[in-house]
Amino acid sequence: MTASLSLSQARRIALAAQGLAKVRPAGSVTSRAVGRTFAQLQLVQIDSVNVVARSHYLPFFSRLGNYDPLILQSMASRNPRKMMEYWAHEASFIRPEHFQDLLVWQKRAWVGAHGLDPAVRQDMEDRILDALNVGRPMTASELTLKLGHDEDPERDNWGWNWNIVKRVLEHLFEEGRISAASRTSQFERKYALTSRVIPHVTPSAVDAEASLDRLMEAAAQAHGIGTVRCFSDYFRTPLKAGAGSVQRLVRAGRLEPVVVRGWDRETYKHVDAKLPRQAAGRALLSPFDSLVFERRRLEELFGFHYRIEIYTPAAKRRFGYYVLPFLLRDAIVARVDLKADRASGQLLVRSAFGEMNAPVDTAVELAQELRLMATWLGLQEVVVWPVGDLAGALSEAVAKGHAAPEECVQPGSPLRGEPGNVALVSPVD
């Protein structure tokens, strides 16, 4: 008999699978805790926008609170690596065990050396691979200088103004022959041969169906509950092939069909998914957080309509430039447009909007979360601008000092200078 679940139960399963159902752990956050969180998420999306912090840092803050981002750098740049870069849900940090499976199913023809003369491309590939074979990891700009291609007549005629070296590098990266050994402080990839980044993974023939099944099950574990579309979207694998994979996973006892009352789509729950009695978490979510990847699922689960307005002209934005949803217990109750103004030491809340039926403690809880974020970022003030229907109540909660106890600041974070006391202040017109 197919299990029947309420919407509330589906929410709690989804939040538990994403590590967002519990109160954060007390005390300092260990590298083991960060590793467990990453294993639970399976991947985190990378984006260069640094309005608050790099997007791949934020999901760990959402789930763990004040942690040291240097832990992530260590996980991604030291052997044996716990995370590596590749295409998944866009550019992402992935678990290395998914790399070969993604090589089979990720097809990004628009990236890299498309349109180059084959002989020219082959010559550049050989030169790049030779340079990386005998030398240290290098950025695209370092390789450009080493190979003598600083001037490129085709540079202004393609894509993102990439020169031939960068285009071929991205092609080799897509093929899996080179990988990112680390990132510079300017967020540039330092390329190396993949065999040096993950030496324990040896090239081998991979069964395509088994490969997809592993990716789809990993996606289902990260979702807890969802549809074929949800699971396929996580690693951006083909939808039609994903439907067949789901059926194989059902037959293998890894997924089970369920009915969520009020939904009209075939839905599946991972056999190991947990259903907590209640959800007690609190988090500001990155616009690129895996909980909000699939917008239809987000709206069906939480009644929350969301779009990223970074690329929307300013006059047409409804809520702001870099808007983070605010999760409180089992609902998304507000959204805030944030900016870390590092020069002034302020976390700016440029707008604050509450959702319909947001609970009465929304502003107080949000003020606590903003203070924690400011501490993590090494900022001294939270400043609320008078924009949005929640701004007044949030400003009052901030001014009254409704904040969580001071938490231990993790040392050595690249996100901050010397941490100071965080003063929550009301907006200044």
Side-chain angles (χ1 to χ4, degrees):
M1 181 179 293
T2 301
S4 177
L5 300 170
S6 68
L7 180 58
S8 175
Q9 289 173 316
R11 281 184 181 181
R12 281 178 274 143
I13 290 171
L15 290 171
Q18 280 283 301
L20 289 164
K22 295 181 180 179
V23 175
R24 295 185 183 103
S28 60
V29 178
T30 65
S31 58
R32 181 172 296 182
V34 175
R36 283 197 302 265
T37 298
F38 183 60
Q40 187 170 20
L41 297 179
Q42 307 286 344
L43 63 85
V44 290
Q45 186 174 335
I46 299 169
D47 192 87
S48 61
V49 174
N50 197 24
V51 177
V52 176
R54 302 286 186 197
S55 65
H56 56 281
Y57 290 140
L58 286 167
F60 296 92
F61 168 76
S62 299
R63 291 154 178 84
L64 298 171
N66 192 359
Y67 79 102
D68 185 353
L70 286 175
I71 294 172
L72 295 186
Q73 293 187 24
S74 177
M75 289 172 61
S77 61
R78 297 180 184 175
N79 288 330
R81 282 172 170 78
K82 304 297 185 184
M83 61 197 311
M84 65 179 295
E85 291 189 39
Y86 195 60
W87 290 104
H89 190 93
E90 303 302 336
S92 302
F93 281 110
I94 64 166
R95 299 177 69 186
E97 53 262 44
H98 294 320
F99 175 66
Q100 288 192 312
D101 295 333
L102 284 166
L103 281 177
V104 176
W105 290 99
Q106 280 290 325
K107 305 297 180 185
R108 302 258 170 178
W110 53 271
V111 173
H114 176 72
L116 282 177
D117 178 88
V120 172
R121 185 183 74 187
Q122 187 61 56
D123 176 68
M124 183 53 67
E125 285 184 11
D126 293 342
R127 296 177 66 193
I128 288 172
L129 293 172
D130 286 346
L132 294 178
N133 186 48
V134 299
R136 59 180 174 79
M138 285 182 277
T139 66
S141 57
E142 289 171 335
L143 279 162
T144 295
L145 290 173
K146 183 177 181 64
L147 300 177
H149 274 267
D150 195 34
E151 298 296 329
D152 189 341
E154 296 188 23
R155 188 185 185 102
D156 295 329
N157 299 319
W158 187 88
W160 299 275
N161 199 29
W162 288 351
N163 65 15
I164 186 174
V165 175
K166 176 62 173 174
R167 291 170 66 182
V168 173
L169 278 169
E170 289 300 312
H171 177 71
L172 291 168
F173 179 86
E174 180 186 327
E175 288 189 330
R177 296 161 70 186
I178 64 172
S179 296
S182 61
R183 291 264 186 172
T184 69
S185 58
Q186 290 77 39
F187 206 58
E188 295 177 281
R189 281 189 187 131
K190 299 191 76 170
Y191 295 93
L193 300 180
T194 298
S195 59
R196 293 181 178 175
V197 173
I198 45 171
H200 60 288
V201 177
T202 56
S204 60
V206 177
D207 178 85
E209 283 194 355
S211 174
L212 183 59
D213 290 353
R214 286 190 289 270
L215 292 174
M216 290 291 283
E217 183 174 2
Q221 287 175 310
H223 280 78
I225 188 171
T227 65
V228 172
R229 181 183 179 89
C230 297
F231 304 156
S232 297
D233 180 70
Y234 209 66
F235 288 101
R236 292 283 168 84
T237 51
L239 188 59
K240 183 176 180 180
S245 177
V246 164
Q247 293 308 311
R248 290 193 294 273
L249 291 169
V250 169
R251 291 194 293 271
R254 303 308 298 160
L255 297 179
E256 53 189 31
V258 295
V259 172
V260 178
R261 295 190 286 277
W263 289 7
D264 60 356
R265 293 192 291 165
E266 292 183 349
T267 305
Y268 304 88
K269 182 176 76 70
H270 192 272
V271 66
D272 296 329
K274 306 298 183 185
L275 172 56
R277 296 182 62 182
Q278 63 179 6
R282 186 189 74 196
L284 285 162
L285 302 172
S286 161
F288 305 100
D289 193 282
S290 46
L291 184 70
V292 307
F293 277 172
E294 219 282 294
R295 299 292 193 261
R296 177 173 173 177
R297 178 174 186 264
L298 183 68
E299 192 158 3
E300 289 180 340
L301 270 175
F302 297 98
F304 186 77
H305 178 77
Y306 183 59
R307 64 178 294 188
I308 298 174
E309 297 186 274
I310 290 174
Y311 307 109
T312 302
K316 295 184 177 180
R317 292 181 194 136
R318 289 188 61 197
F319 301 107
Y321 178 75
Y322 199 74
V323 176
L324 282 70
F326 179 52
L327 173 73
L328 184 60
R329 296 182 284 273
D330 69 345
I332 297 177
V333 300
R335 63 188 91 200
V336 286
D337 180 22
L338 298 184
K339 176 179 173 61
D341 189 336
R342 295 168 179 85
S344 66
Q346 296 176 331
L347 179 60
L348 303 179
V349 185
R350 298 184 291 189
S351 73
F353 292 87
E355 294 299 294
M356 188 178 298
N357 300 322
V360 294
D361 60 345
T362 294
V364 171
E365 293 286 345
L366 179 53
Q368 293 179 9
E369 190 68 10
L370 289 164
R371 178 180 187 268
L372 179 61
M373 176 174 277
T375 301
W376 176 61
L377 294 171
L379 303 174
Q380 287 70 50
E381 295 180 319
V382 176
V383 176
V384 183
W385 291 8
V387 179
D389 58 16
L390 188 61
L394 180 59
S395 175
E396 182 179 352
V398 164
K400 288 181 178 179
H402 286 295
E406 186 73 19
E407 298 201 17
C408 175
V409 175
Q410 302 291 322
S413 167
L415 300 183
R416 58 172 72 86
E418 288 298 318
N421 293 326
V422 179
L424 296 180
V425 301
S426 56
V428 178
D429 293 333

